[in-house]
Amino acid sequence: DNLPVDIALGTVIVHEDYVYIIGGRDDEGALDSVYYAVVAAGGSIGNWVSTNQTLPQPLWGASSVIMGDDIFVFGGNNGTSRLSTVYTATIGEPGTLSAFTTAPSLPVVTESSGAIAYGGDAYVFGGVGSGFLSGVYSTSDGISNEEPEEDSSAGTQIVFPDGDDSKAILLGQEG
């Protein structure tokens, strides 16, 4: 089915048999909505429904990953400025999310970055901050929870609240 409203620049994740679209923008500005729909066995997408939660602020151009049952939303634009904020929520039953909470911020503002979860690690790719970002970093680069050297070209490490190393990400230096 079509999306319930006009949405551009939302971030999309898939969890089990459901697809979620988070934030985005319409012709009036940034959105804080989170919608979900079932993906049928044949690949058709069911009716879109609002979840029980919204983002803490409207965002477009954010990126996101799903790790286990946890959603992570990185950066984006609130309609006024680019952000370094990271939000996280846990998926319960379909359409039921915990309230989004704020995780440690990214070291730079970014929108339009790519993000994936693979093999227990999160990866963030490039984006736009005050300039274009070229870094691609992850926990699989062998970087621990120790503070990186100040002049390191490896980026800055962010560790999520539960301290799970598999949820730590690095975002590259601005280019």
Side-chain angles (χ1 to χ4, degrees):
D1 280 0
N2 289 337
L3 293 169
V5 297
D6 294 336
I7 299 175
L9 302 170
T11 183
V12 178
I13 58 163
V14 175
H15 182 259
E16 298 176 354
D17 294 329
Y18 296 87
V19 59
Y20 292 76
I21 186 163
I22 303 165
R25 66 168 291 138
D26 60 16
D27 58 356
E28 295 181 19
L31 304 170
D32 65 359
S33 54
V34 181
Y35 294 100
Y36 75 103
V38 67
V39 179
S44 63
I45 296 178
N47 293 326
W48 291 92
V49 180
S50 294
T51 64
N52 65 320
Q53 298 291 333
T54 58
L55 289 165
Q57 65 177 321
L59 291 177
W60 61 267
S63 58
S64 61
V65 299
I66 183 87
M67 295 181 75
D69 293 334
D70 298 321
I71 299 170
F72 294 93
V73 180
F74 307 106
N77 190 311
N78 63 9
T80 306
S81 59
R82 294 179 179 121
L83 304 171
S84 61
T85 310
V86 177
Y87 293 118
T88 184
T90 301
I91 299 175
E93 294 299 315
T96 304
L97 305 177
S98 66
F100 280 91
T101 58
T102 303
S105 292
L106 297 169
V108 295
V109 297
T110 184
E111 68 180 67
S112 303
S113 61
I116 64 167
Y118 180 77
D121 292 299
Y123 298 77
V124 174
F125 302 85
V128 179
S130 59
F132 290 99
L133 302 171
S134 61
V136 178
Y137 300 100
S138 77
T139 56
S140 65
D141 292 329
I143 299 171
S144 70
N145 281 341
E146 297 174 13
E147 290 292 320
E149 295 177 24
E150 279 192 37
D151 62 350
S152 171
S153 62
T156 302
Q157 185 171 15
I158 302 298
V159 180
F160 293 101
D162 63 6
D164 182 347
D165 290 345
S166 69
K167 295 179 186 170
I169 65 161
L170 296 173
L171 184 69
Q173 301 295 319
E174 288 190 68

